[in-house]
């Protein structure tokens, strides 16, 4: 069992039963012209989470951890899009309308897909979800239980919406989740802080919060090569 510095206390995890969950790193959220911007948000805030999330993803791959990605989006015919979600925010451009990256939040469109920096590779399932939570109307729980996963390391966007909803759902299903605070992003600095506080309050009411460097240090106890910077790994190979 490895132990990573975290709040409210150390996060203990067994790499064999731990999955990295990468939530909604989609162009529609992190780039201008997508769904996030259609709701009036400044997307540049979310890009801050990408470099650390990419480092964690590379290390987890090298250490052999199971990796799962999620995407929020809808069927091309919008048959799984509730009217309430379509109308909410009274945006000028709605889900399903044509934008500069294709139809907003529609599966198969360029904007719906994951950004290159953290793009899934073979063996990493992508869970397409119609809602905010990774477990609602998806096979996420089946995928994790089939691999006997019990602990989750969580990166993604946005902190107070899809990340937090997914962590709450994971908690109710018996998983322990560690949210890496520098690997999650919000359009609202105040919500970033509040969302992370909520997770770790009351003794970790629905999870743990830590920093990527502390998680990587813990992972490096068992897999030193996996967390070594690329140049160091090459020099020692
Ligand atoms: C939102 C998400 N913010 N992925 N989705 O609508 O957090």
């Amino acid at each position: 069992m490895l132990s990573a510095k975290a709040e409210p206390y150390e996060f203990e995890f067994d790499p064999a039963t731990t999955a990295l969950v990468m939530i909604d790193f989609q162009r529609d959220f992190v780039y201008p012209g997508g769904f996030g911007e259609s709701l009036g948000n400044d997307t540049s805030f979310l890009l801050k989470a990408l470099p650390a999330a990419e480092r964690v993803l590379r290390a987890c791959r090298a250490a052999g951890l199971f990796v799962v990605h999620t995407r929020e989006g809808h069927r091309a015919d919008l048959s799984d899009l509730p009217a309430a979600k379509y109308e909410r925010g009274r945006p000028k451009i709605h889900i399903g309308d044509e934008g500069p990256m294709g139809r907003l939040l529609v599966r198969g469109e360029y904007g719906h897909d994951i950004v290159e920096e953290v793009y899934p590779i073979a063996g990493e399932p992508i869970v397409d979800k119609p809602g905010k939570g990774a477990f609602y109307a998806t096979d996420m729980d089946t995928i994790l239980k089939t691999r006997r996963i019990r602990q989750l390391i969580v990166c993604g966007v946005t902190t107070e919406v899809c990340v937090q909803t997914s962590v709450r759902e994971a908690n109710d299903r018996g998983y322990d989740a560690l949210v890496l605070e520098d690997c999650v992003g919000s359009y609202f600095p105040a919500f970033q802080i509040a969302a992370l506080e909520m997770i770790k309050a009351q003794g970790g009411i629905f999870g743990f919060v830590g920093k990527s460097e502390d998680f990587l240090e813990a992972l490096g106890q068992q897999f030193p090569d996996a967390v070594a910077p690329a140049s160091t790994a090459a020099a020692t190979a």
Side-chain angles (χ1 to χ4, degrees):
M1 197 65 99
L2 299 177
S3 176
K5 191 172 155 204
E7 289 185 281
Y9 53 86
E10 309 75 42
F11 182 75
E12 303 208 319
F13 66 103
D14 174 358
T17 59
T18 300
L20 172 66
V21 181
M22 302 286 287
I23 296 185
D24 299 4
F25 273 118
Q26 298 162 253
R27 296 186 185 96
D28 253 322
F29 293 108
V30 308
Y31 291 150
F35 175 64
E37 195 181 66
S38 79
L39 297 177
N41 297 305
D42 175 353
T43 56
S44 65
F45 284 110
L46 301 194
L47 288 172
K48 290 183 196 154
L50 253 184
E54 185 181 355
R55 253 191 322 275
V56 167
L57 174 61
R58 287 179 189 278
C60 287
R61 282 176 178 160
L65 262 65
F66 186 50
V67 180
V68 187
H69 303 257
T70 71
R71 293 184 298 208
E72 179 181 346
H74 296 278
R75 293 170 181 260
D77 63 4
L78 305 185
S79 55
D80 60 351
L81 174 63
K85 184 173 178 182
Y86 178 80
E87 291 297 344
R88 189 132 354 100
R90 298 180 176 164
K92 289 196 192 75
I93 167 166
H94 287 88
I95 295 172
D97 288 348
E98 200 65 48
M101 296 189 290
R103 297 177 65 206
L104 252 58
L105 223 56
V106 168
R107 294 177 190 165
E109 299 289 330
Y110 183 73
H112 172 263
D113 211 353
I114 295 168
V115 298
E116 277 77 16
E117 292 91 328
V118 293
Y119 203 80
I121 59 173
E124 297 178 353
I126 301 175
V127 173
D128 278 318
K129 59 190 182 64
K132 306 305 181 191
F135 292 82
Y136 170 68
T138 73
D139 50 7
M140 180 65 128
D141 198 39
T142 303
I143 289 171
L144 296 176
K145 295 247 158 69
T146 301
R147 292 287 296 238
R148 303 195 193 291
I149 296 296
R150 296 184 45 243
Q151 295 102 9
L152 309 178
I153 308 300
V154 182
C155 300
V157 297
T158 63
T159 313
E160 78 281 11
V161 184
C162 290
V163 170
Q164 203 190 82
T165 304
S166 299
V167 171
R168 286 172 187 258
E169 288 181 333
N171 172 64
D172 286 345
R173 286 162 179 79
Y175 299 94
D176 257 338
L178 170 65
V179 179
L180 298 178
E181 63 184 29
D182 50 332
C183 301
V184 294
S186 169
Y187 299 120
F188 306 92
F191 291 175
Q192 170 85 357
I193 294 166
L196 295 171
E197 288 290 333
M198 284 181 209
I199 291 168
K200 67 188 180 190
Q202 304 176 69
I205 190 75
F206 56 93
F208 295 76
V209 175
K211 295 182 171 59
S212 63
E213 66 183 77
D214 292 326
F215 167 67
L216 292 176
E217 189 184 317
L219 195 65
Q221 289 161 17
Q222 189 170 332
F223 305 100
D225 290 348
V227 302
S231 53
T232 316
T236 55

